[in-house]
Structures are given as C-alpha cells and as structure tokens.
Amino acid sequence: MPAVTTLVGNLVKDPESKDFGQDKNVTNIRIACSDRVPDGKGGWKDGNTAYYNVSAWRSLGKYMASTLKKGDLHIVTGK
C-alpha cells in the first residue's frame, strides 16, 4: 500500500505553470504548514513552520494555476 501524505497550509507565492507542448504541463506551488501548539494559557499558538514544494501535472496543474493565488488556504493529498 503506498504512503499518502496530506498537507494543510497557505500558498507562499502564486502558482508557476510551464507548458511542454500539447497537453503536457506542470504547475508548481510552495505551501507553508504551521504546527498548532498550546500557549500555556488554555489557548493555542503557531509553532514551527515547514515549507513544501508540490508539483501537479496536466489538467490538475492547469486547474490549480487558474484558481489558486498567494495566501490561499489549500489542502494537498498525494504520494
């Protein structure tokens, strides 16, 4: 069974899309994910932030490039 990863975070910059010919393209995004940790007063605060580069190919990549922008909250699932 393949390992699947899910990331929840905000886009650090606008998606970058590159075409390689007819129906061949890739869209790259960079997503920032922060841990939520207790603040010691009964509430929560942001913890460490991790940054991930994500690539999407073909129609999914085209859709992402046309709908996402910097700052958007996004969920990424993949392997």
Side-chain angles (χ1 to χ4, degrees):
M1 185 154 207
V4 176
T5 300
T6 300
L7 304 172
V8 178
N10 295 87
L11 268 61
V12 176
K13 59 183 183 175
D14 289 332
E16 295 177 355
S17 188
K18 297 178 185 176
D19 290 321
F20 299 103
Q22 185 178 3
D23 203 32
K24 294 180 184 175
N25 72 309
V26 63
T27 298
N28 297 305
I29 62 171
R30 187 158 172 85
I31 188 169
C33 305
S34 297
D35 292 333
R36 297 291 288 167
V37 294
D39 66 3
K41 301 174 187 174
W44 296 88
K45 64 179 182 177
D46 287 333
N48 295 331
T49 301
Y51 297 89
Y52 299 93
N53 295 318
V54 179
S55 297
W57 294 85
R58 297 185 178 85
S59 61
L60 177 59
K62 285 184 179 182
Y63 177 75
M64 287 173 53
S66 67
T67 59
L68 298 178
K69 63 183 181 307
K70 179 180 176 179
D72 284 349
L73 180 62
H74 196 59
I75 300 172
V76 176
T77 301
K79 53 183 178 176

